[in-house]
Amino acid sequence: LCLSLVLLCIPSAGLFADENTVTLESVVIQNFDDPAQNPWFVLGSKFSTAGFPKVAYIKAWPQAVYGSNADSKDLKALGVATLYDRKGYNWVDIVPGKKSGEGDKVTYEATELPLPGRVKMIDMWVWSANFDYYLEAYVRDYKGLVYAIPMGDLNFVGWKNLRINVPSNIPQFRKTLPRKESLTLVKFRIWTRPTESVASFTTDPAATPDEKAVKVYLDNIKVLTDTFETLFDGDQLSDPNNAAVKDAWGSGDKK
């Protein structure tokens, strides 16, 4: 009886061992050091003060990541300034995109950022002024569905590392070929809580809106992702970018 149980267990282990193989890599998605690479823009909710929200790139960085920047690299962070006319569940969307035009004729087009592999965790650095706000990340799956993933509260001072596991119910593969279906990063959203102030405290009655604005900074967005892919006999035929596949089913001979 014991021998029979051992023999039954051996094939089962062999069948599932390959499926459990993982190759975890940390991949930086955006560090904001080159604003022209992926321009970001912001969209505010109904009660945003006229002229807000605003976005800017600032020479700043989390020292826990880059230290004192002894090499004098041109490091930057993405800054977001918000101001609202009333308290409530206000929000600002921080969106990656493409920039066109100059001056008053600048336009932006949203461009989702591909997240390589099967993402296990989203990791980023955020600077906050201890307002009781919170941050969400939005990702899209291969079916076109968008998911809001809570990144955490922003009631802290200075730079802090925020990281969250990607829920396992968000599909990143399918049973038919090609199996891998990567996610895309749609945007980040900062929410205000109804009981929290929507402006920075100041005793100066002549303070400008920019001085009253609440500012948050983002940097070093990355993912911890599984890049392992199981190989099989004929795996190249599941790659739509394979030259032979393109020749056969694209502009090549279809006979």
Side-chain angles (χ1 to χ4, degrees):
L1 179 60
C2 292
L3 180 60
S4 298
L5 289 174
V6 170
L7 291 175
L8 286 172
C9 290
I10 290 175
S12 177
L15 286 173
F16 291 98
D18 196 37
E19 294 298 324
N20 294 330
T21 302
V22 296
T23 302
L24 293 179
E25 296 184 23
S26 178
V27 181
V28 176
I29 303 302
Q30 187 68 259
N31 56 22
F32 304 111
D33 296 340
D34 183 5
Q37 180 184 10
N38 282 112
W40 291 63
F41 63 99
V42 287
L43 299 169
S45 56
K46 179 178 179 180
F47 297 107
S48 296
T49 301
F52 288 87
K54 296 182 178 181
V55 65
Y57 293 85
I58 184 172
K59 188 164 183 155
W61 60 88
Q63 291 196 12
V65 179
Y66 300 105
S68 60
N69 191 20
D71 297 333
S72 299
K73 296 180 179 178
D74 190 17
L75 302 176
K76 291 184 177 67
L78 181 72
V80 178
T82 64
L83 195 61
Y84 303 97
D85 296 332
R86 51 170 285 183
K87 293 181 179 180
Y89 281 112
N90 303 294
W91 53 261
V92 56
D93 281 348
I94 311 164
V95 187
K98 293 181 180 179
K99 179 180 177 182
S100 302
E102 296 293 338
D104 295 336
K105 296 183 179 180
V106 170
T107 59
Y108 290 92
E109 177 187 352
T111 305
E112 299 176 11
L113 301 181
L115 303 179
R118 297 182 178 95
V119 180
K120 302 295 185 182
M121 180 182 293
I122 299 175
D123 183 298
M124 62 190 300
W125 284 82
V126 180
W127 185 98
S128 178
N130 205 25
F131 283 81
D132 192 17
Y133 299 169
Y134 60 97
L135 177 68
E136 293 177 332
Y138 286 71
V139 299
R140 188 188 304 275
D141 70 11
Y142 72 95
K143 297 178 181 178
L145 299 178
V146 176
Y147 303 80
I149 302 176
M151 293 297 302
D153 292 334
L154 301 183
N155 53 351
F156 54 84
V157 174
W159 288 104
K160 183 178 179 180
N161 181 222
L162 300 183
R163 56 189 181 276
I164 190 71
N165 293 325
V166 174
S168 59
N169 66 314
I170 299 179
Q172 299 188 61
F173 62 92
R174 53 185 177 182
K175 68 175 185 178
T176 57
L177 298 176
R179 287 197 180 106
K180 184 177 72 173
E181 292 289 356
S182 298
L183 302 176
T184 58
L185 175 63
V186 178
K187 64 184 179 182
F188 292 103
R189 174 173 286 186
I190 297 175
W191 287 91
T192 70
R193 286 190 168 91
T195 56
E196 183 58 286
S197 173
V198 292
S200 296
F201 175 77
T202 177
T203 57
D204 183 3
T208 66
D210 285 332
E211 292 171 331
K212 295 178 182 178
V214 176
K215 299 175 180 68
V216 176
Y217 300 95
L218 312 179
D219 201 8
N220 205 46
I221 302 169
K222 61 184 180 180
V223 294
L224 182 66
T225 185
D226 176 17
T227 58
F228 178 82
E229 287 299 323
T230 303
L231 300 180
F232 54 89
D233 189 2
D235 59 349
Q236 72 278 8
L237 295 177
S238 68
D239 182 4
N241 296 316
N242 180 278
V245 174
K246 284 187 173 182
D247 288 343
W249 302 108
S251 59
D253 185 5
K254 298 183 180 181
K255 293 181 180 180

Tab-separated table of all heavy atoms in Angstrom, residues 45 47 83-91 133 192-199:
chain	number	residue	atom	x	y	z
A	45	SER	N	-11.034	66.313	-10.030
A	45	SER	CA	-12.467	66.084	-9.877
A	45	SER	C	-13.235	67.407	-9.867
A	45	SER	O	-12.660	68.490	-10.002
A	45	SER	CB	-12.736	65.287	-8.596
A	45	SER	OG	-12.190	65.964	-7.474
A	47	PHE	N	-14.689	69.611	-7.880
A	47	PHE	CA	-14.485	70.791	-7.053
A	47	PHE	C	-13.027	71.256	-7.012
A	47	PHE	O	-12.631	71.966	-6.088
A	47	PHE	CB	-15.009	70.534	-5.637
A	47	PHE	CG	-16.488	70.274	-5.608
A	47	PHE	CD1	-16.981	69.000	-5.371
A	47	PHE	CD2	-17.391	71.299	-5.842
A	47	PHE	CE1	-18.350	68.760	-5.352
A	47	PHE	CE2	-18.765	71.064	-5.832
A	47	PHE	CZ	-19.243	69.794	-5.585
A	83	LEU	N	-5.613	71.525	-5.147
A	83	LEU	CA	-6.349	72.515	-4.361
A	83	LEU	C	-7.824	72.376	-4.739
A	83	LEU	O	-8.149	72.266	-5.928
A	83	LEU	CB	-5.846	73.931	-4.661
A	83	LEU	CG	-6.256	75.029	-3.681
A	83	LEU	CD1	-5.715	74.743	-2.274
A	83	LEU	CD2	-5.779	76.393	-4.161
A	84	TYR	N	-8.703	72.376	-3.722
A	84	TYR	CA	-10.128	72.172	-3.964
A	84	TYR	C	-10.934	73.267	-3.281
A	84	TYR	O	-10.491	73.875	-2.300
A	84	TYR	CB	-10.566	70.797	-3.442
A	84	TYR	CG	-9.797	69.646	-4.048
A	84	TYR	CD1	-8.707	69.090	-3.384
A	84	TYR	CD2	-10.161	69.117	-5.285
A	84	TYR	CE1	-7.992	68.038	-3.942
A	84	TYR	CE2	-9.460	68.068	-5.846
A	84	TYR	CZ	-8.373	67.537	-5.170
A	84	TYR	OH	-7.665	66.502	-5.731
A	85	ASP	N	-12.137	73.531	-3.797
A	85	ASP	CA	-13.000	74.575	-3.257
A	85	ASP	C	-13.795	74.118	-2.042
A	85	ASP	O	-14.373	74.935	-1.326
A	85	ASP	CB	-13.979	75.060	-4.343
A	85	ASP	CG	-13.258	75.723	-5.501
A	85	ASP	OD1	-12.157	76.275	-5.278
A	85	ASP	OD2	-13.780	75.681	-6.637
A	86	ARG	N	-13.830	72.805	-1.804
A	86	ARG	CA	-14.568	72.288	-0.659
A	86	ARG	C	-14.024	70.917	-0.280
A	86	ARG	O	-13.376	70.243	-1.083
A	86	ARG	CB	-16.058	72.180	-0.967
A	86	ARG	CG	-16.368	71.448	-2.254
A	86	ARG	CD	-17.833	71.142	-2.423
A	86	ARG	NE	-18.244	70.038	-1.555
A	86	ARG	CZ	-19.482	69.522	-1.559
A	86	ARG	NH1	-20.410	70.020	-2.347
A	86	ARG	NH2	-19.777	68.510	-0.777
A	87	LYS	N	-14.296	70.523	0.959
A	87	LYS	CA	-13.902	69.194	1.415
A	87	LYS	C	-14.810	68.137	0.803
A	87	LYS	O	-15.893	68.427	0.316
A	87	LYS	CB	-13.978	69.099	2.940
A	87	LYS	CG	-12.972	69.949	3.693
A	87	LYS	CD	-13.127	69.741	5.192
A	87	LYS	CE	-12.120	70.564	5.982
A	87	LYS	NZ	-12.272	70.349	7.450
A	88	GLY	N	-14.353	66.884	0.859
A	88	GLY	CA	-15.149	65.786	0.335
A	88	GLY	C	-14.258	64.702	-0.219
A	88	GLY	O	-13.045	64.689	0.014
A	89	TYR	N	-14.840	63.786	-0.969
A	89	TYR	CA	-14.061	62.752	-1.647
A	89	TYR	C	-13.586	63.319	-2.990
A	89	TYR	O	-14.063	62.943	-4.053
A	89	TYR	CB	-14.883	61.482	-1.842
A	89	TYR	CG	-14.985	60.628	-0.596
A	89	TYR	CD1	-16.197	60.468	0.063
A	89	TYR	CD2	-13.859	59.994	-0.071
A	89	TYR	CE1	-16.292	59.691	1.212
A	89	TYR	CE2	-13.946	59.223	1.076
A	89	TYR	CZ	-15.164	59.071	1.713
A	89	TYR	OH	-15.247	58.303	2.855
A	90	ASN	N	-12.658	64.262	-2.908
A	90	ASN	CA	-12.050	64.815	-4.107
A	90	ASN	C	-10.944	63.881	-4.582
A	90	ASN	O	-10.399	63.090	-3.804
A	90	ASN	CB	-11.461	66.196	-3.816
A	90	ASN	CG	-12.487	67.170	-3.279
A	90	ASN	OD1	-13.417	67.547	-3.978
A	90	ASN	ND2	-12.328	67.568	-2.022
A	91	TRP	N	-10.596	63.997	-5.867
A	91	TRP	CA	-9.536	63.140	-6.385
A	91	TRP	C	-8.764	63.849	-7.483
A	91	TRP	O	-9.241	64.806	-8.099
A	91	TRP	CB	-10.088	61.810	-6.902
A	91	TRP	CG	-11.206	61.912	-7.892
A	91	TRP	CD1	-12.533	61.771	-7.640
A	91	TRP	CD2	-11.102	62.168	-9.309
A	91	TRP	NE1	-13.270	61.924	-8.795
A	91	TRP	CE2	-12.420	62.165	-9.833
A	91	TRP	CE3	-10.033	62.388	-10.179
A	91	TRP	CZ2	-12.685	62.388	-11.186
A	91	TRP	CZ3	-10.305	62.611	-11.527
A	91	TRP	CH2	-11.609	62.606	-12.023
A	133	TYR	N	-4.895	61.617	3.085
A	133	TYR	CA	-5.305	61.228	1.739
A	133	TYR	C	-4.896	59.776	1.523
A	133	TYR	O	-4.198	59.182	2.352
A	133	TYR	CB	-4.637	62.097	0.673
A	133	TYR	CG	-4.951	63.575	0.738
A	133	TYR	CD1	-4.232	64.480	-0.040
A	133	TYR	CD2	-5.951	64.085	1.571
A	133	TYR	CE1	-4.512	65.843	-0.001
A	133	TYR	CE2	-6.230	65.438	1.610
A	133	TYR	CZ	-5.509	66.317	0.836
A	133	TYR	OH	-5.789	67.658	0.879
A	192	THR	N	-8.929	62.526	-1.438
A	192	THR	CA	-8.975	63.218	-0.159
A	192	THR	C	-10.113	62.628	0.664
A	192	THR	O	-11.140	62.234	0.112
A	192	THR	CB	-9.227	64.726	-0.335
A	192	THR	OG1	-10.571	64.933	-0.790
A	192	THR	CG2	-8.257	65.318	-1.355
A	193	ARG	N	-9.941	62.582	1.975
A	193	ARG	CA	-11.027	62.136	2.845
A	193	ARG	C	-11.858	63.357	3.262
A	193	ARG	O	-11.323	64.457	3.429
A	193	ARG	CB	-10.475	61.392	4.051
A	193	ARG	CG	-9.969	59.995	3.692
A	193	ARG	CD	-9.648	59.176	4.928
A	193	ARG	NE	-9.436	57.775	4.593
A	193	ARG	CZ	-8.242	57.239	4.294
A	193	ARG	NH1	-7.158	58.013	4.292
A	193	ARG	NH2	-8.135	55.954	3.998
A	194	PRO	N	-13.175	63.174	3.450
A	194	PRO	CA	-14.077	64.313	3.708
A	194	PRO	C	-13.727	65.142	4.929
A	194	PRO	O	-14.063	66.331	4.996
A	194	PRO	CB	-15.444	63.641	3.876
A	194	PRO	CG	-15.328	62.343	3.164
A	194	PRO	CD	-13.903	61.908	3.331
A	195	THR	N	-13.062	64.540	5.917
A	195	THR	CA	-12.749	65.276	7.147
A	195	THR	C	-11.409	65.992	7.087
A	195	THR	O	-11.067	66.723	8.013
A	195	THR	CB	-12.740	64.302	8.343
A	195	THR	OG1	-11.800	63.235	8.072
A	195	THR	CG2	-14.122	63.710	8.560
A	196	GLU	N	-10.642	65.792	6.011
A	196	GLU	CA	-9.304	66.365	5.927
A	196	GLU	C	-9.309	67.677	5.156
A	196	GLU	O	-10.122	67.894	4.256
A	196	GLU	CB	-8.349	65.365	5.254
A	196	GLU	CG	-6.903	65.818	5.171
A	196	GLU	CD	-6.280	66.123	6.518
A	196	GLU	OE1	-6.626	67.176	7.086
A	196	GLU	OE2	-5.459	65.322	6.994
A	197	SER	N	-8.400	68.544	5.535
A	197	SER	CA	-8.252	69.829	4.853
A	197	SER	C	-7.829	69.600	3.408
A	197	SER	O	-7.138	68.630	3.090
A	197	SER	CB	-7.203	70.680	5.573
A	197	SER	OG	-6.920	71.852	4.843
A	198	VAL	N	-8.245	70.511	2.531
A	198	VAL	CA	-7.885	70.407	1.118
A	198	VAL	C	-6.902	71.509	0.715
A	198	VAL	O	-6.669	71.741	-0.469
A	198	VAL	CB	-9.138	70.451	0.221
A	198	VAL	CG1	-9.973	69.194	0.437
A	198	VAL	CG2	-9.958	71.704	0.486
A	199	ALA	N	-6.321	72.180	1.713
A	199	ALA	CA	-5.330	73.223	1.449
A	199	ALA	C	-4.288	73.216	2.563
A	199	ALA	O	-4.589	72.833	3.708
A	199	ALA	CB	-5.992	74.593	1.358
